[in-house]
Amino acid sequence: MEKEKLFLNEGANSTAAVPIWNPCSFGMEMQSNKLNCCSDQLPNCFFNPNWDSSMDQSDPFASALSSIVSSPVTTSNAIPSSGGVGDPVMIRELIGRLGNICNSGEISYINNNSSTNTSCYSTPLNSPPKLNISIMDSQIIGNLPILGNGIPDHQSLAPFLADPGFAERAARYSCFGSRNLASNESELSHRLMPRLEPDKLQRVSSNPSEKATGRQANVNVDGNSNSDKKFSRLSRSSTPENAEFGDSRDESSVSEKIPGGKLSMKGLNDSNSRKRKAIPKGKAKETPSSSLSASDSKVVAEMDESKAKRSKSKEINGDEKDSTKANEEENSNQKQNKDNSKPPEPLKDYIHVRARRGQATDSHSLAERVRREKISERMKFLQDLVPGCSKVTGKAVMLDEIINYVQSLQRQVEFLSMKLATVNPRMDISMEALLSKDIFQSRGSLSQNLYPLENSAALSFPYGYRSQQGIALPNGMFSNGETQFSTNPLNAVLKRNQCMQLPALDGFGDAPRQVSTFWEDDLQSVVQMGFGQNQLQQPQAFHADSNMPGAQMKVEL
Amino acid sequence: MNPDHHSSLNPSSSLKSRFTKTFLRSLIKINKQRPFPYCPREIFQRCHRVKTAADKSLARAAGSRRVWSRAMLCKIRNRSLRRGCQQRPSVRRIIIGYQTTKKGYCLQKKMSDDQEVGTDQASKLRKLVPGGEAMDLCSLLDEAAHYIKCLNTQVQVMRRIADIHSS
């Protein structure tokens, strides 16, 4: 009622007012109205992973889409007052066009319902809903390319939506739109699109996969929550994106297929696990102030709806009133809402956290939960950085691994700095350039895991020093605490190279013994163990090395 | 220095290039300034200088946006100031500067008391990561991740340099 009027007014205002962006925005607004009318589905945002990539390809399509959108918008402009009447027409047109492009492979499936579908829609208009139906079927995700096949009623837009990515986006958008619709429930949808609604509902009910039409709202709600998850990777709103979004929403609104219980279950779980970080729920009304906050609030509102069984429907409706622009921004910010979204959530000026179902709601526990989630997120990232930690679970073990890894890396740096210090410098400016190039070219060669690479470092070290001048390195020098650990093998290796240094030989035997004892004492880190093993292996290597001048230098380890 | 556009494409490569250039320059400087060491003490000193140069160039390459890079640079500066104080006691400004920095560090130490000391591992990590004393666990893990990444780069580059030198 009020909401419908607000929608209509909004549509009228939007059409009358100068578009903020381009005609695409108009189309989006109109479509949002239509979407709100339609209770729908959610071609779920299964396509989220491809969303970002697909968005890149969307630009050429966005312009086409905008042109498509603008045409119905112009018609709607002519009849702003009767937005409720004009919208269905526009919706049908858009849907028809979109549907033609994204004809799904579910033609057979669609044809089953064609009888009911054709009741109120023209053929082209029927295709998009069926398309979305297929899209929304989670099992059909893989058949995205099929979307492009479909019923080619309208050839004009066939190439436009042939892009499977577009179909994905459309599906995603539609599911978003359906979310909005769910909030408004069927009454609004019936109001705005009287002719469409009953048919849609009919179609939906006729759809074997769908349950009662009355459940559409629930499904929509769930779909919303799912779509929230799917939209987690939405990029920031941009005009072409918005344009597409609006169209896809429109499309999805017509499709109306709601993967029933499946989504509902998912939605509930998602809602439970969802935590609105940095999404000011209370800012639902503040749309114009900051796009981000508005969109966030909208997302929050929508999600809450799904979670709280449309407890926030009013709020959402209020959000809807703000503008479709906010909706788009909302979509773009939906990804921020997701805790488990891959891209890090941009930090807002303040963080709003929503209490999960069945959890304590006092501020302390909420803040604690935020903190814990942040920490676990960082731990996951560290897990990727530290090699060999993929199977490690638990904070304590993970921290141990991290500490060991950092220690080993620092030891390696010490070891290598000692090595560089003893290297006879042959560097000049030209060498520097050559070295820089070499280092860059060999970027990948050294990408092996560095953790056990201390072994290789020690291995390469003796061979590298074969040609080095002899340096008298009495054993005692390296007994200093700081460098003892990392330079004992170095010491041993250097001594091996210096066959001329007879005095060194006396201490030579001590070095490996020291190394071995030293290693035996410290059994904590894997690196140490590996290093010790390496030391044990080195004597054999040296024995076999005929180039070694110090063949008489035998190290007993 | 690596052109800026590289950083957007591949931040690690720009970090690597920055570190490499700075480190190579400092290595050349070290080798030019001092004669090639033949006694262990000189070698040890040289090794320490090389390590300091490596850490310094890494911290500079990492940028001042990171807590650990800033802390590392401060540590190196304090160390050099301290040594400068011992060698040239007449420079009072340096001493005063060092004392104030030390006080700042003490303040940081006190702040660390407020941090959760629940696990030894967290405190160990704090000691390992430069500047980790004054950070909460969340940002400590963040800094540790970046520090690990930079350490990897450092080890790679140094190993490559050593291999080139030795071959």
Side-chain angles (χ1 to χ4, degrees):
Chain A
M1 292 78 81
E2 304 162 0
K3 303 165 189 176
E4 302 164 4
K5 288 172 192 167
L6 283 168
F7 272 114
L8 292 177
N9 292 337
E10 183 186 76
N13 293 336
S14 63
T15 56
V18 178
I20 300 175
W21 321 308
N22 51 21
C24 297
S25 60
F26 275 74
M28 303 219 36
E29 283 182 345
M30 299 314 300
Q31 291 153 15
S32 66
N33 291 338
K34 305 165 198 170
L35 290 173
N36 292 327
C37 307
C38 314
S39 53
D40 301 310
Q41 312 85 24
L42 327 171
N44 272 328
C45 315
F46 300 112
F47 317 124
N48 252 350
N50 303 327
W51 199 87
D52 292 336
S53 57
S54 63
M55 289 314 300
D56 299 333
Q57 315 155 11
S58 67
D59 287 343
F61 298 108
S63 56
L65 185 55
S66 63
S67 63
I68 296 167
V69 169
S70 55
S71 54
V73 169
T74 53
T75 59
S76 65
N77 285 336
I79 36 173
S81 57
S82 61
V85 176
D87 290 349
V89 177
M90 288 193 318
I91 295 170
R92 285 182 197 169
E93 284 183 14
L94 279 168
I95 292 167
R97 292 182 188 176
L98 292 172
N100 295 329
I101 299 170
C102 304
N103 282 326
S104 68
E106 301 297 322
I107 294 177
S108 61
Y109 187 82
I110 294 167
N111 288 335
N112 294 336
N113 304 325
S114 61
S115 59
T116 56
N117 292 335
T118 52
S119 60
C120 76
Y121 296 94
S122 58
T123 321
L125 290 177
N126 293 334
S127 50
K130 304 162 190 172
L131 172 74
N132 291 331
I133 290 171
S134 63
I135 294 173
M136 297 196 318
D137 190 352
S138 56
Q139 303 161 359
I140 307 175
I141 295 173
N143 298 337
L144 275 178
I146 301 175
L147 293 173
N149 306 336
I151 303 170
D153 289 333
H154 291 264
Q155 301 298 333
S156 59
L157 295 178
F160 181 83
L161 286 176
D163 174 25
F166 181 88
E168 296 177 4
R169 289 193 300 275
R172 257 182 269 133
Y173 289 141
S174 61
C175 80
F176 177 74
S178 59
R179 184 185 337 134
N180 296 334
L181 295 173
S183 64
N184 299 327
E185 284 298 352
S186 57
E187 64 175 27
L188 186 56
S189 61
H190 283 301
R191 261 330 157 84
L192 290 177
M193 303 181 61
R195 278 175 290 168
L196 291 178
E197 285 306 343
D199 296 326
K200 286 186 203 165
L201 293 177
Q202 239 178 353
R203 265 181 313 142
V204 171
S205 55
S206 67
N207 192 334
S209 66
E210 289 196 359
K211 303 175 184 168
T213 59
R215 293 187 48 184
Q216 284 183 3
N218 291 336
V219 182
N220 290 333
V221 171
D222 303 329
N224 290 343
S225 61
N226 291 330
S227 60
D228 292 340
K229 192 168 49 169
K230 307 307 188 246
F231 278 106
S232 65
R233 304 249 322 259
L234 281 179
S235 57
R236 297 288 175 162
S237 66
S238 62
T239 313
E241 295 176 5
N242 295 337
E244 290 180 348
F245 180 86
D247 287 341
S248 56
R249 267 190 300 172
D250 188 13
E251 186 180 11
S252 62
S253 66
V254 180
S255 61
E256 286 189 356
K257 180 181 164 181
I258 300 170
K262 201 167 18 174
L263 276 181
S264 61
M265 291 305 297
K266 261 197 275 180
L268 284 174
N269 295 336
D270 294 340
S271 62
N272 284 340
S273 62
R274 195 184 328 129
K275 174 158 65 164
R276 297 296 126 246
K277 258 198 254 184
I279 293 172
K281 178 184 177 308
K283 284 192 173 180
K285 319 290 183 183
E286 299 178 12
T287 311
S289 58
S290 90
S291 62
L292 282 181
S293 61
S295 53
D296 288 344
S297 64
K298 284 204 179 160
V299 181
V300 174
E302 290 183 349
M303 296 195 207
D304 295 342
E305 180 188 28
S306 62
K307 189 167 46 168
K309 302 299 181 192
R310 296 185 298 280
S311 60
K312 309 292 175 185
S313 60
K314 285 186 186 171
E315 186 175 0
I316 293 169
N317 290 334
D319 297 340
E320 302 274 351
K321 296 168 196 171
D322 292 333
S323 66
T324 55
K325 181 173 164 190
N327 285 336
E328 291 130 19
E329 291 164 344
E330 181 177 359
N331 290 334
S332 65
N333 290 323
Q334 281 180 6
K335 66 167 179 177
Q336 305 161 10
N337 302 340
K338 290 303 173 181
D339 306 336
N340 48 6
S341 61
K342 288 288 182 170
E345 298 179 1
L347 295 175
K348 308 289 186 296
D349 45 353
Y350 58 99
I351 292 179
H352 283 247
V353 179
R354 171 155 301 281
R356 302 186 201 178
R357 266 178 89 118
Q359 303 229 358
T361 55
D362 61 326
S363 62
H364 289 296
S365 55
L366 279 180
E368 190 64 27
R369 201 181 316 139
V370 171
R371 190 178 149 274
R372 261 184 274 132
E373 293 214 0
K374 269 196 211 168
I375 288 176
S376 63
E377 200 180 303
R378 302 229 160 91
M379 294 288 286
K380 279 185 206 151
F381 182 61
L382 277 166
Q383 215 171 18
D384 298 333
L385 269 183
V386 179
C389 277
S390 52
K391 298 170 193 167
V392 171
T393 52
K395 219 165 82 170
V397 186
M398 193 61 218
L399 274 175
D400 273 335
E401 286 294 317
I402 291 168
I403 288 168
N404 283 339
Y405 188 54
V406 172
Q407 276 173 348
S408 78
L409 283 178
Q410 286 176 343
R411 278 197 297 268
Q412 281 188 30
V413 169
E414 275 185 45
F415 179 76
L416 287 166
S417 68
M418 172 63 66
K419 185 173 171 182
L420 284 173
T422 54
V423 162
N424 191 13
R426 295 187 301 259
M427 268 172 48
D428 52 1
I429 306 299
S430 62
M431 278 291 286
E432 175 185 344
L434 275 172
L435 279 170
S436 306
K437 277 186 207 164
D438 266 336
I439 287 159
F440 297 146
Q441 285 165 6
S442 67
R443 192 178 308 162
S445 65
L446 298 175
S447 61
Q448 314 151 18
N449 46 355
L450 298 167
Y451 200 24
L453 263 185
E454 290 197 6
N455 303 337
S456 64
L459 271 171
S460 65
F461 186 79
Y463 296 111
Y465 268 73
R466 213 171 304 144
S467 57
Q468 291 305 316
Q469 302 175 10
I471 300 172
L473 293 171
N475 195 18
M477 173 194 163
F478 293 96
S479 305
N480 300 333
E482 180 182 348
T483 56
Q484 179 183 16
F485 195 86
S486 61
T487 56
N488 271 330
L490 169 60
N491 185 22
V493 166
L494 283 174
K495 290 188 179 299
R496 287 184 198 126
N497 283 319
Q498 299 148 25
C499 57
M500 293 303 142
Q501 308 290 338
L502 288 177
L505 281 178
D506 296 336
F508 195 74
D510 298 336
R513 254 182 277 125
Q514 283 182 8
V515 170
S516 55
T517 53
F518 189 91
W519 287 115
E520 285 158 10
D521 292 341
D522 191 345
L523 295 177
Q524 283 185 6
S525 76
V526 174
V527 172
Q528 296 169 5
M529 294 304 290
F531 224 1
Q533 292 166 9
N534 189 30
Q535 289 300 314
L536 291 169
Q537 293 162 9
Q538 278 182 352
Q540 291 98 23
F542 281 108
H543 293 320
D545 192 353
S546 59
N547 289 341
M548 285 296 298
Q552 68 276 18
M553 300 194 315
K554 299 220 165 105
V555 181
E556 290 93 15
L557 272 175
Chain B
M1 297 303 258
N2 218 29
D4 289 338
H5 66 268
H6 279 194
S7 56
S8 58
L9 298 173
N10 190 356
S12 75
S13 74
S14 71
L15 168 79
K16 186 183 272 191
S17 65
R18 285 198 304 266
F19 168 72
T20 310
K21 291 201 170 166
T22 319
F23 185 52
L24 285 175
R25 281 201 204 105
S26 51
L27 267 186
I28 292 175
K29 212 190 297 180
I30 289 172
N31 289 327
K32 280 186 186 164
Q33 279 176 359
R34 327 274 169 186
F36 190 72
Y38 284 99
C39 70
R41 190 169 145 274
E42 283 176 18
I43 289 179
F44 184 68
Q45 277 179 358
R46 197 138 175 271
C47 164
H48 189 70
R49 266 187 221 110
V50 168
K51 181 165 179 297
T52 310
D55 288 341
K56 202 172 189 182
S57 48
L58 181 71
R60 285 242 177 86
S64 59
R65 246 186 257 161
R66 285 286 168 178
V67 178
W68 69 263
S69 62
R70 288 197 299 266
M72 190 180 262
L73 285 172
C74 280
K75 207 191 304 178
I76 293 171
R77 213 173 293 143
N78 292 343
R79 227 182 291 158
S80 66
L81 281 176
R82 196 172 358 134
R83 261 191 236 111
C85 292
Q86 289 169 358
Q87 292 168 9
R88 291 174 299 171
S90 59
V91 185
R92 309 214 182 236
R93 260 186 293 123
I94 298 175
I95 295 172
I96 291 169
Y98 171 72
Q99 282 175 352
T100 48
T101 350
K102 196 173 181 190
K103 204 189 295 179
Y105 185 72
C106 286
L107 276 173
Q108 276 193 345
K109 276 280 195 185
K110 278 174 194 158
M111 275 171 64
S112 67
D113 292 341
D114 302 333
Q115 310 299 340
E116 61 174 37
V117 197
T119 55
D120 296 331
Q121 300 151 336
S123 54
K124 270 191 221 166
L125 197 57
R126 281 186 216 279
K127 284 179 200 156
L128 282 176
V129 176
E133 303 281 344
M135 287 192 284
D136 58 331
L137 187 61
C138 200
S139 45
L140 176 69
L141 291 177
D142 223 4
E143 295 288 321
H146 192 259
Y147 184 55
I148 285 174
K149 193 175 86 156
C150 295
L151 273 181
N152 275 337
T153 313
Q154 187 184 23
V155 168
Q156 277 182 27
V157 171
M158 286 177 75
R159 186 170 292 136
R160 184 80 187 126
I161 294 176
D163 287 344
I164 290 174
H165 272 168
S166 51
S167 59

